[in-house]
Amino acid sequence: MLESLNPRPRPVNLKSMPDPDLRYPIGKFSFPTAVTPQERDEFVEQIAETPARLRAVLNGLSAEQLETPYRPGGWTVRQVVHHVPDSHMNSYVRFRLALTEEEPAIKGYLEDRWAELSDARTAPVDISLALLDNLHSRWIALLASLTDRDWKRTFRHSELGLVSLERNAALYAWHGRHHVAHIAALRDRMGW
């Protein structure tokens, strides 16, 4: 199925950069202090693009290549692919909780342990790509319906503290691009 996908986006050329931090190919995330409506729209657009960008960067990879860690000591490409919908499902639920409850308490999860579960290490990536497609269809429908007031709603995260929905959208816009860049940078380094 992956062979029929669109060509992958042009990867970041890490060879021309001095000692890149392979963990953060697009830089570390930091929450914006304020978010404009135009920035929110950009975040929603970037979230909406994540499934197609992930599919594109995987185009043509072999089963052996999917087992390659994106960096020394890092997850395999397969684990990265399964991680994205795991994380985005958590975010989707957080949006729904914040929209229906007053400042709900949100528990973080141990993503490194999730990545070591059998399905994350061995399941076909097509399963998670389909999950991500459908999850994002539903999530984008929800995000498109939010009012300015809705975007200001918050949840209290066990590790991050108080987070507004617009700031959480910024995080997940970055998150999708971050993991696509992991794979694109690996492809570039390996000449795939």
Side-chain angles (χ1 to χ4, degrees):
M1 178 172 174
L2 292 176
E3 288 71 32
S4 66
L5 301 174
N6 294 328
R8 66 185 173 95
R10 191 169 177 87
V12 175
N13 184 356
L14 294 178
K15 292 175 186 170
S16 66
M17 300 170 76
D19 298 321
D21 185 343
L22 300 179
R23 295 171 302 167
Y24 300 102
I26 63 169
K28 289 184 179 183
F29 177 77
S30 62
F31 280 112
T33 53
V35 177
T36 67
Q38 294 76 22
E39 289 170 322
R40 281 194 319 239
D41 291 345
E42 290 172 20
F43 300 151
V44 171
E45 184 177 327
Q46 291 170 10
I47 292 168
E49 292 170 350
T50 296
R53 287 180 182 222
L54 187 58
R55 282 182 179 280
V57 78
L58 294 170
N59 186 36
L61 290 183
S62 68
E64 180 180 340
Q65 290 166 327
L66 291 173
E67 299 309 318
T68 306
Y70 77 89
R71 66 173 174 86
W75 292 337
T76 65
V77 171
R78 181 182 308 279
Q79 287 171 302
V80 170
V81 173
H82 292 311
H83 163 73
V84 174
D86 285 348
S87 181
H88 289 209
M89 279 189 292
N90 273 281
S91 183
Y92 171 72
V93 169
R94 292 168 184 168
F95 267 83
R96 295 185 72 79
L97 289 169
L99 289 166
T100 58
E101 300 176 21
E102 292 305 317
E103 201 177 291
I106 304 296
K107 179 184 173 301
Y109 72 103
L110 301 174
E111 63 183 35
D112 56 329
R113 291 187 187 175
W114 285 38
E116 291 303 324
L117 293 172
S118 178
D119 65 322
R121 289 185 292 104
T122 63
V125 295
D126 288 339
I127 295 170
S128 281
L129 293 172
L131 176 58
L132 192 66
D133 286 338
N134 289 302
L135 171 64
H136 276 240
S137 292
R138 182 84 184 271
W139 194 8
I140 296 305
L142 176 66
L143 297 179
S145 74
L146 300 185
T147 65
D148 288 342
R149 188 172 181 177
D150 291 336
W151 281 106
K152 302 293 185 196
R153 293 187 65 89
T154 59
F155 58 82
R156 186 163 299 280
H157 191 280
S158 60
E159 298 162 12
L160 302 174
L162 194 63
V163 179
S164 69
L165 293 184
E166 61 191 5
R167 291 177 77 212
N168 197 52
L171 173 59
Y172 279 85
W174 172 87
H175 187 261
R177 292 182 299 109
H178 167 71
H179 286 303
V180 168
H182 280 150
I183 300 166
L186 173 66
R187 290 187 75 144
D188 188 51
R189 290 191 315 276
M190 301 296 282
W192 294 343

